Amino acid sequence: MDMIQLKKHNCPPYERLLQAMHTTGHAIYVSGVGTGKSFVCMKLLQDSGLYDHTNCLYIVPQESIAHTIAGYPEFAYVKDRITFCNMQQFTSPEKALRLINGYGLVVMDEHTIIGLG
């Protein structure tokens, strides 16, 4: 059952992510505040039957954002494949690489809040 319906502006990034997953087995998705990253990520995980092993590291600047996303009804179908991580855990490039290692999809949400935008 297709629970997640993307808005038109989310279809091109979704297709690029799907292509990246198909050709390389991983992707990093960074987009502006309020652009629908959460839904694109959930749709990718929901639809990627060929990538049932793919897990997502979802990086947020604040725990409250993780709680909001986890509360979306659509999240129920993919929640076991997403790990939330607070941006404060990225204290060095080396630690960042260790943290993202093993994840097929990395989403950095609300990155402009922490001055990375």
Side-chain angles (χ1 to χ4, degrees):
M1 181 182 203
D2 190 0
M3 293 293 301
I4 300 169
Q5 297 293 321
L6 295 178
K7 293 185 178 179
K8 187 176 180 177
H9 74 277
N10 291 130
C11 292
Y14 170 78
E15 293 298 327
R16 287 191 300 272
L17 284 168
L18 194 59
Q19 180 64 33
M21 293 296 295
H22 177 70
T23 58
T24 67
H26 60 273
I28 295 177
Y29 182 33
V30 179
S31 187
V33 175
T35 58
K37 292 176 298 298
S38 303
F39 288 94
V40 171
C41 172
M42 288 186 276
K43 175 88 170 151
L44 182 66
L45 290 173
Q46 173 191 287
D47 291 354
S48 60
L50 296 174
Y51 312 105
D52 285 337
H53 63 283
T54 299
N55 289 316
C56 174
L57 180 63
Y58 209 103
I59 305 164
V60 293
Q62 304 166 357
E63 294 297 322
S64 60
I65 295 170
H67 292 295
T68 298
I69 295 167
Y72 295 156
E74 298 87 350
F75 186 77
Y77 296 95
V78 296
K79 69 180 178 180
D80 59 326
R81 295 169 64 196
I82 297 179
T83 301
F84 287 99
C85 175
N86 192 295
M87 190 62 200
Q88 284 73 25
Q89 294 174 304
F90 290 77
T91 55
S92 71
E94 295 79 16
K95 187 164 184 185
L97 289 173
R98 282 194 304 273
L99 284 168
I100 67 172
N101 187 33
Y103 287 95
L105 178 64
V106 175
V107 178
M108 182 176 275
D109 204 349
E110 306 294 347
H111 66 285
T112 57
I113 290 174
I114 54 173
L116 298 176

